[in-house]
Amino acid sequence: MSDTPDTISASAGPRPEPIRFFAATWVDHDGGYAVRRVAVTVGSLVAIAGSCLVLRFAYEGLEIAAVGGFVTGLVAVMFAVCSALAFRHTWAGYTKRPAPDSQSALRGLLTIGFVGALTAYFFRSLTEAPGESLHRAEHETASHRKHN
């Protein structure tokens, strides 16, 4: 038996699924995991601030275009509702896998509600790598199945 990565990982158990920005460092919290968590937390907060600035420019554009109070209010409500739904959907996605068909059906809503999705990412990154608990549960289940 050689010491190639394939034989080592095959004997050690299933490979952990990588998480964006964290790779597989979430398994043992090594390889710069803490630094990555801080960077992701700060980065998502900066992205939220930038997103709010973009929305502010869009709102000012509506005011300059003089589209009227109804349209301006409708756009503000649309972004608020879509952000709330995107937050809820993103937050739920950290504890259970969403169905692929519902994920593609909600793609437009999640795009409009990008501030909510970024906010969910920020709050989750304060406690763990976003999606870590879901990946850990799946990895432990797969490891348990392999050893039994």
Side-chain angles (χ1 to χ4, degrees):
M1 185 158 140
S2 67
D3 287 338
T4 63
D6 293 332
T7 57
I8 292 171
S9 64
S11 63
R15 287 187 178 175
E17 186 177 344
I19 297 176
R20 179 180 291 156
F21 304 123
F22 293 92
T25 62
W26 61 268
V27 176
D28 295 323
H29 292 185
D30 60 353
Y33 174 83
V35 173
R36 291 174 190 226
R37 274 238 346 252
V38 169
V40 162
T41 302
V42 170
S44 60
L45 191 58
V46 168
I48 291 169
S51 299
C52 289
L53 186 64
V54 167
L55 288 178
R56 176 69 184 155
F57 289 148
Y59 181 77
E60 287 177 1
L62 291 174
E63 285 181 351
I64 292 170
V67 294
F70 177 73
V71 173
T72 302
L74 193 62
V75 169
V77 168
M78 176 204 55
F79 273 110
V81 169
C82 288
S83 289
L85 291 172
F87 179 91
R88 187 184 65 77
H89 181 70
T90 303
W91 191 264
Y94 295 137
T95 56
K96 63 180 170 80
R97 294 246 182 222
D101 54 340
S102 73
Q103 187 75 9
S104 64
L106 293 174
R107 191 174 315 266
L109 180 126
L110 295 174
T111 303
I112 294 169
F114 61 96
V115 174
L118 287 169
T119 305
Y121 195 86
F122 167 74
F123 282 124
R124 182 57 79 159
S125 69
L126 291 173
T127 58
E128 67 175 10
E132 179 180 343
S133 59
L134 174 65
H135 285 77
R136 188 170 303 284
E138 291 174 348
H139 181 66
E140 288 173 357
T141 301
S143 296
H144 182 69
R145 261 191 246 134
K146 176 157 176 47
H147 293 298
N148 287 336

